[in-house]
Amino acid sequence: MKPPTRTAVNQAIAILLESTYQENGIGKKKDSRLSDLSTVQLDRLAEAVETARLTINREAQNRAARLRQYRNSLAPIHRLPVEILVQILFASLNHDPNAWAVLTLRDLASVSKHWMEIIASTPYFWSIVSVAFPVDTIRLVLRKSKNVPLRVHCWSPDILPVTEGTEEFMEVVSEYSSRWQSLSFRGHATPKVMEYLESSKPALIDLNVQFLWCYRASQLLKIPPDCPLRRINLHSVSLEWDSPTLSNLTVLHLRSIHTNPPSLLHIVSIISSSPDIESLTLEDMSPNPEEATQDVQLEVILSTMHVHLPALRNFVLKNIPEHVSRWLLLQMSAPGCRRLVASNVDPVVFQGERPPLLQLALPLIRSSKRMRLSVSERLSWLSVTSFSTTTLPGPGDLPGLELSFATLTPMEHLDTVAHFLSLGTLTAEVHIDVGKTWWWEDDFDTMPFPVMVLERLPNTRRIEIGRGVDGTTLLRYLGDAHATEGKWEWPLPQLSALCLKVWSGIPQDIADFVARRWGESEPVISDASLENETSEMVQRPAKLDEFLLPTNLPHHVKATVRYATSHRGFLPAFW
């Protein structure tokens, strides 16, 4: 007996053939010509043909789907064990809760029936629950996640007031707090929210909490003692800093803590009990008031302590008490550190033949490809920044070394930092940028540029001189040949960019500098023992890729500069 589907298809094909015969006048029956049929018979024939078409199309689609399904089953991924396929699909998802959506799971499930069954029956695909989900989706996720650890994400925008939606969400998911593995909360610290946050969470290892509308204030959060925390990220949140849960951490980020901030002793205790810590960030913290009455004996103990953190990769200190920053920079070692950021650094850490900071910063100095030294504001802020690439950093490229501090003697401290970098056997190209970024209307004070910086950093590739800095000594240094091991050569042979945005000296000094370094006149020899050397031994320095001069120079100076540089293959631009 033929299957029903095949019988229906055969009948449909027979009807289509018969209608074709009738239309062409070659039917088997004598009265089968269309002209011999009545209107009712024609309508019935048209309906039969339409039904036959639908039957054939439906069967064709079903057969094509079965063929595609069979073809897909031959792909290598479908021959993998289910456990491995689950790992592949799970790794392909975006696990950022901000981008997580059940629609992503639906797209994966639509690939094949096999994938749909795997996603629907695997609890790990339903382990993220977010306040952005509809209520029905939240309950679906909680039901399908069964007993696997949950990642709870409740992140509210700044502009939203306190809403019942946040508290309702926390109330629903708090029933499953025993399965919370990760908690990210950003919102207002209402009494109900605090009650849910402080409930028992025996599986919580990742805590990320930011309280809104807490300007220079911090809400105390009492972490349950049964939380095996490993990663902590807090903003405007204070903890009981002597809690036993603050140990064995791998991440500790504390920001904007002004009420009950941790003392230096608390911080030392936490990081000492967390030898595997990988990232440490302390930012915008007030001094602990109890430290004002700290025991002298305790200060002596802290000064002799040393903490070794071999796993630390990211280390950030910004706007924290000076004594805390100084202790961490001087008494801590992290040979694997790949990012060191510190603001308001005590300049003492750069001084001496064995600077205290050198041990911590040495790996970053040696691995850098580009180092930038900058003196900005009213020549009152000095910063040193390193990058792992010689090109301009992209959006995701973070500096390796980023140190800054306020200064009243910027040029002296610039030389101190240059000496510090030279002790680290710096091989990276150096960019130097000095000049006021803001000034008063009648602010005409200037400082001479310290050429000793260039002798310490011979790999300097770019120099920018701005307002408030007299570059006369710089040009005289660059325009004279210097003796080196019985030979004479030009300083900074790798210099490729010189930008004189503002010139406070004599304009003719610029023309004389260009004529000596790139002109046709005899070069000036700074060593008397080499005065008898012939000019043929002189190799002029390479042309500049960028030569920027102030536009208010006299016309004869501009003409002299253009003439000298044009013979070397480059021309100046005017700022």
Side-chain angles (χ1 to χ4, degrees), residues 274-540:
S274 304
D276 296 329
I277 193 168
E278 299 174 359
S279 180
L280 175 61
T281 298
L282 305 177
E283 184 176 342
D284 194 18
M285 290 168 44
S286 297
N288 188 299
E290 296 180 358
E291 290 185 316
T293 59
Q294 184 171 284
D295 189 1
V296 177
Q297 184 178 2
L298 182 58
E299 293 183 0
V300 175
I301 295 175
L302 286 173
S303 64
T304 58
M305 288 185 61
H306 183 81
V307 178
H308 182 65
L309 301 176
L312 187 64
R313 298 291 181 269
N314 182 69
F315 186 25
V316 179
L317 304 175
K318 289 185 177 181
N319 300 325
I320 65 174
E322 183 179 347
H323 70 285
V324 177
S325 174
R326 183 171 58 253
W327 191 96
L328 292 172
L329 292 175
L330 301 185
Q331 304 297 122
M332 197 178 74
S333 62
C337 187
R338 294 294 175 265
R339 184 168 183 253
L340 173 60
V341 180
S343 62
N344 295 321
V345 179
D346 188 346
V348 174
V349 302
F350 297 100
Q351 298 175 359
E353 291 303 317
R354 294 187 61 84
L357 184 60
L358 187 60
Q359 181 181 3
L360 187 61
L362 187 59
L364 294 167
I365 294 175
R366 292 180 174 175
S367 64
S368 64
K369 300 297 183 183
R370 181 166 60 92
M371 189 74 68
R372 182 174 184 267
L373 280 72
S374 172
V375 179
S376 58
E377 296 189 3
R378 300 194 70 251
L379 300 181
S380 57
W381 189 258
L382 191 150
S383 63
V384 52
T385 310
S386 73
F387 298 93
S388 59
T389 174
T390 57
T391 59
L392 292 177
D397 296 332
L398 297 176
L401 188 69
E402 189 175 358
L403 307 173
S404 59
F405 58 90
T407 175
L408 297 176
T409 56
M411 299 308 161
E412 294 180 12
H413 281 144
L414 182 63
D415 182 56
T416 300
V417 172
H419 175 65
F420 169 80
L421 295 175
S422 66
L423 294 176
T425 60
L426 178 67
T427 59
E429 65 176 53
V430 179
H431 296 190
I432 300 176
D433 181 6
V434 292
K436 296 178 180 179
T437 52
W438 65 273
W439 53 88
W440 307 114
E441 185 176 353
D442 56 348
D443 186 359
F444 300 107
D445 296 337
T446 60
M447 297 182 181
F449 182 88
V451 295
M452 183 62 71
V453 171
L454 304 180
E455 294 183 359
R456 301 186 192 277
L457 303 174
N459 295 330
T460 301
R461 297 287 300 273
R462 181 183 183 89
I463 301 176
E464 295 186 27
I465 302 295
R467 181 181 292 269
V469 179
D470 186 355
T472 303
T473 55
L474 168 67
L475 296 191
R476 290 176 180 173
Y477 172 79
L478 294 177
D480 294 344
H482 300 272
T484 303
E485 298 180 356
K487 299 180 180 180
W488 65 281
E489 57 185 25
W490 296 98
L492 303 187
Q494 300 180 27
L495 185 67
S496 62
L498 179 60
C499 302
L500 306 177
K501 298 179 180 179
V502 177
W503 185 253
S504 57
I506 301 174
Q508 186 60 35
D509 288 343
I510 297 179
D512 295 342
F513 154 70
V514 173
R516 292 198 303 270
R517 191 169 175 97
W518 293 289
E520 298 178 351
S521 60
E522 290 294 327
V524 177
I525 301 176
S526 61
D527 191 340
S529 64
L530 300 175
E531 288 182 352
N532 297 326
E533 298 289 343
T534 60
S535 60
E536 285 74 19
M537 296 181 62
V538 181
Q539 183 177 0
R540 294 289 182 175

Side-chain angles (χ1 to χ4, degrees), residues 57-93:
N57 286 346
R58 183 168 55 252
E59 180 62 17
Q61 292 175 358
N62 292 338
R63 291 189 180 185
R66 288 195 295 270
L67 290 172
R68 284 193 294 266
Q69 184 178 1
Y70 178 72
R71 179 196 176 281
N72 290 338
S73 66
L74 300 178
I77 193 172
H78 290 292
R79 294 199 294 268
L80 292 174
V82 175
E83 296 79 6
I84 297 179
L85 181 58
V86 167
Q87 295 295 329
I88 295 175
L89 296 179
F90 192 71
S92 69
L93 296 173

